[in-house]
Amino acid sequence: SDVYKRQINAEYGTLRGEMLRLRSPSRLVRVGGQWRAMASKGQFGSFSNQDVEELIAMPETDYVQQSSLVAELMEESMAGSSFEECEFGSAMHATHFMLDPSWTFLNHGAFGAAVRSGFEAAAWWRTRAEAQPLRFVDRELLPGLVFALRQHAAFMKTDPRRLALVPHATSGLNAVISSRLRSPGATAYMLSTGYGAVKKMLERSGASVVLSPLEPFGRGGDQLTADAIVEHVARTLPEVCDLAIFDHVSSNTGIKMPVERLLKLCRQRGVAVLIDGAHGPGQFPLELDRLRPDFYVGNCHKWLSCPRGVGFLYASEPSARDPPILPAITSHGAGHGFCSEFLWDGARDYNSALALPAVLRFWDRVVDREVGWQYMKTLRAEASALLREEWGVGLEPVCASELLGAMELVPLAEGVWDKLEQPTEGLALGQVASLIQDWLHHKHKIEVPIKCVDGRLFVRISAHLY
């Protein structure tokens, strides 16, 4: 009608300015009596959802206005949880974790242990999903995942456009390896201390793999140092290499790799780097944009203590990658951008990812992060010193303190397997390790892994806030 035409003509300048400001296809709504450009619907997922990439790229001030409904749901998911501060140790164990107190649980590094608030938030979302499945999947899930991704990006000190949520580190590692090493004649480099599953990924990739043997604890019993690791890589890294893969923390040995120095070395040689950070986030401070690896993959269920089922993939320049980094599963987000490619991979349980804001609130309100991380490292060092003194296996750790976070391998005393209730003569050392771990589990309710490294047996201890 003429009335609407006059109204549109009068406000055309404002509308056009808002569209240009956002620089993407948008819809326009009134917010507080003013026209604002808001993310458009229907570009990814369903006609009920706003476009994921626009929501991720939106400036924070605009996103706060845009996300009010999902923010209310997030608050409701946390309403029944406690975020009260408490002392580390037994008080933390009883208040914020769900571990059975009858067990001595020293294996947090395996699969973590969820904080209570994260578990409760995931359960809240799971219940809400089943109360009205279409409302949840079509209208709430993708905006909720974007909300979680943006908060996690802030926690990891990076731009959310460089981050993608994945079910676990394994899926992120597979995506980078299969995408970067697909060309004939591609070459990858990895240290022998790397994770076993990653070695299998490289085997299946068809690439030429240089697996460089690193003696975890130095020659002749000398302590392994950061200098020794960097010198080893500088000597063995191939001149032509498409991808170098380093652990942030080696799962089998607990060694925290000097990734800053390794990244610098590889940049000088023009080699792209993938950091396997399964044990990184939550064990120590991590600022991804400062570290700036080509790729970083992490878990949220280990040291961050999120419910199992969510991890992340970081790419320093996701839009400039050639070839692009693609997930193993192609779904509705294909072709819509880096984050969208990974956000939805089919109908499954995404509630651990939706619980991520509750877990991050735990780290923000219950714990002073820096104090918490220092507590974990100090507790590990004290426990190691106690065990080494009791067992008479040396006064110093087997590697330099600069390479240790909240995990450490402590040598077992010779003959400790004599305490077992079955003979061990003729058994391989790995079989003896399994028997000792089972004995501690079944007889003493101590959950801790026994590792066989370089022909020696070690106990790998993990220290956490509880």
Side-chain angles (χ1 to χ4, degrees):
S1 69
D2 290 341
V3 173
Y4 286 128
K5 287 179 182 178
R6 287 195 297 272
Q7 181 179 348
I8 290 172
N9 287 334
E11 297 184 340
Y12 174 76
T14 302
L15 304 182
R16 186 172 183 277
E18 279 295 297
M19 294 290 281
L20 290 174
R21 182 183 60 80
L22 198 60
R23 288 184 170 82
S24 58
S26 309
R27 61 194 176 97
L28 291 143
V29 300
R30 283 192 177 276
V31 178
Q34 300 292 322
W35 283 107
R36 299 291 288 172
M38 309 301 267
S40 56
K41 288 187 176 183
Q43 295 186 33
F44 164 45
S46 80
F47 292 113
S48 302
N49 284 313
Q50 296 148 339
D51 184 63
V52 163
E53 294 299 320
E54 291 181 19
L55 288 173
I56 292 170
M58 193 174 288
E60 185 63 20
T61 52
D62 291 343
Y63 181 74
V64 168
Q65 291 182 332
Q66 176 73 3
S67 63
S68 58
L69 292 179
V70 71
E72 289 175 9
L73 291 174
M74 287 292 175
E75 289 298 326
E76 194 173 342
S77 75
M78 305 179 212
S81 299
S82 169
F83 294 95
E84 294 183 7
E85 295 183 24
C86 71
E87 294 183 356
F88 300 130
S90 58
M92 183 69 70
H93 188 290
T95 305
H96 292 291
F97 286 84
M98 304 168 64
L99 292 162
D100 183 347
S102 69
W103 281 84
T104 302
F105 190 75
L106 303 176
N107 197 8
H108 191 100
F111 300 105
V115 292
R116 192 181 301 274
S117 56
F119 180 88
E120 291 169 346
W124 185 92
W125 280 106
R126 192 169 291 112
T127 301
R128 182 174 179 83
E130 298 311 317
Q132 221 286 28
L134 265 292
R135 176 188 63 187
F136 172 75
V137 175
D138 267 3
R139 301 177 186 275
E140 298 171 351
L141 176 57
L142 292 183
L145 291 174
V146 170
F147 189 96
L149 185 148
R150 288 180 66 108
Q151 289 210 347
H152 190 56
F155 190 88
M156 294 285 114
K157 302 292 180 66
T158 186
D159 187 315
R161 290 171 292 186
R162 298 191 179 110
L163 213 60
L165 293 179
V166 294
H168 35 62
T170 301
S171 59
L173 288 161
N174 270 282
V176 176
I177 289 171
S178 62
S179 298
R180 289 289 298 186
L181 300 178
R182 66 176 63 176
S183 301
T187 300
Y189 174 86
M190 184 179 178
L191 294 172
S192 60
T193 51
Y195 196 51
V198 178
K199 295 173 184 175
K200 293 182 178 181
M201 294 175 205
L202 291 174
E203 288 174 7
R204 286 195 172 181
S205 71
S208 173
V209 180
V210 177
L211 186 64
S212 183
L214 175 70
E215 295 184 4
F217 306 123
R219 297 181 181 277
D222 293 338
Q223 276 193 331
L224 182 67
T225 64
D227 286 344
I229 294 174
V230 175
E231 290 169 5
H232 175 89
V233 173
R235 188 173 64 254
T236 59
L237 184 67
E239 289 186 11
V240 178
C241 184
D242 297 278
L243 187 66
I245 304 168
F246 300 109
D247 292 322
H248 203 156
V249 178
S250 166
S251 177
N252 203 42
T253 66
I255 295 171
K256 180 184 175 185
M257 293 292 175
V259 292
E260 294 89 349
R261 295 176 62 184
L262 294 174
L263 281 166
K264 181 179 179 181
L265 170 65
C266 289
R267 287 191 193 107
Q268 292 171 344
R269 306 241 187 130
V271 177
V273 175
L274 165 61
I275 302 295
D276 178 359
H279 285 276
Q283 189 175 165
F284 38 72
L286 181 58
E287 298 181 10
L288 287 173
D289 277 356
R290 183 190 62 80
L291 188 64
R292 204 66 180 240
D294 295 277
F295 309 101
Y296 190 106
V297 173
N299 281 319
C300 298
H301 68 264
K302 287 183 182 283
W303 297 90
L304 275 178
S305 292
C306 193
R308 281 166 286 282
V310 61
F312 65 91
L313 165 60
Y314 167 91
S316 60
E317 299 293 341
S319 61
R321 292 293 168 192
D322 186 19
I325 304 304
L326 301 176
I329 298 173
T330 300
S331 192
H332 292 293
H336 284 277
F338 176 65
C339 304
S340 296
E341 288 276 3
F342 291 88
L343 200 62
W344 168 273
D345 55 16
R348 61 174 176 85
D349 190 334
Y350 292 86
N351 297 298
S352 294
L354 294 174
L356 194 50
V359 175
L360 299 179
R361 181 171 293 187
F362 165 84
W363 285 96
D364 283 333
R365 295 191 180 181
V366 178
V367 182
D368 181 319
R369 295 182 214 169
E370 297 293 337
V371 175
W373 289 325
Q374 186 58 49
Y375 169 82
M376 291 156 58
K377 184 175 181 178
T378 301
L379 182 62
R380 182 272 311 155
E382 292 175 351
S384 170
L386 173 65
L387 292 175
R388 282 184 277 107
E389 182 179 2
E390 288 287 331
W391 295 344
V393 291
L395 298 178
E396 296 295 330
V398 291
C399 63
S401 60
E402 63 182 337
L403 301 179
L404 294 171
M407 287 199 304
E408 183 182 342
L409 290 190
V410 180
L412 283 177
E414 293 290 337
V416 67
W417 42 87
D418 292 341
K419 296 179 180 292
L420 299 176
E421 297 170 354
Q422 62 187 95
T424 59
E425 186 176 352
L427 295 180
L429 204 55
Q431 294 174 302
V432 175
S434 179
L435 289 175
I436 296 172
Q437 187 166 328
D438 287 346
W439 175 67
L440 291 169
H441 177 97
H442 293 294
K443 188 174 181 64
H444 299 284
K445 299 189 79 171
I446 297 173
E447 192 65 70
V448 70
I450 306 299
K451 300 289 187 178
C452 181
V453 181
D454 284 356
R456 300 166 66 190
L457 292 183
F458 299 83
V459 57
R460 191 193 72 184
I461 56 172
S462 298
H464 209 273
L465 303 174
Y466 55 82

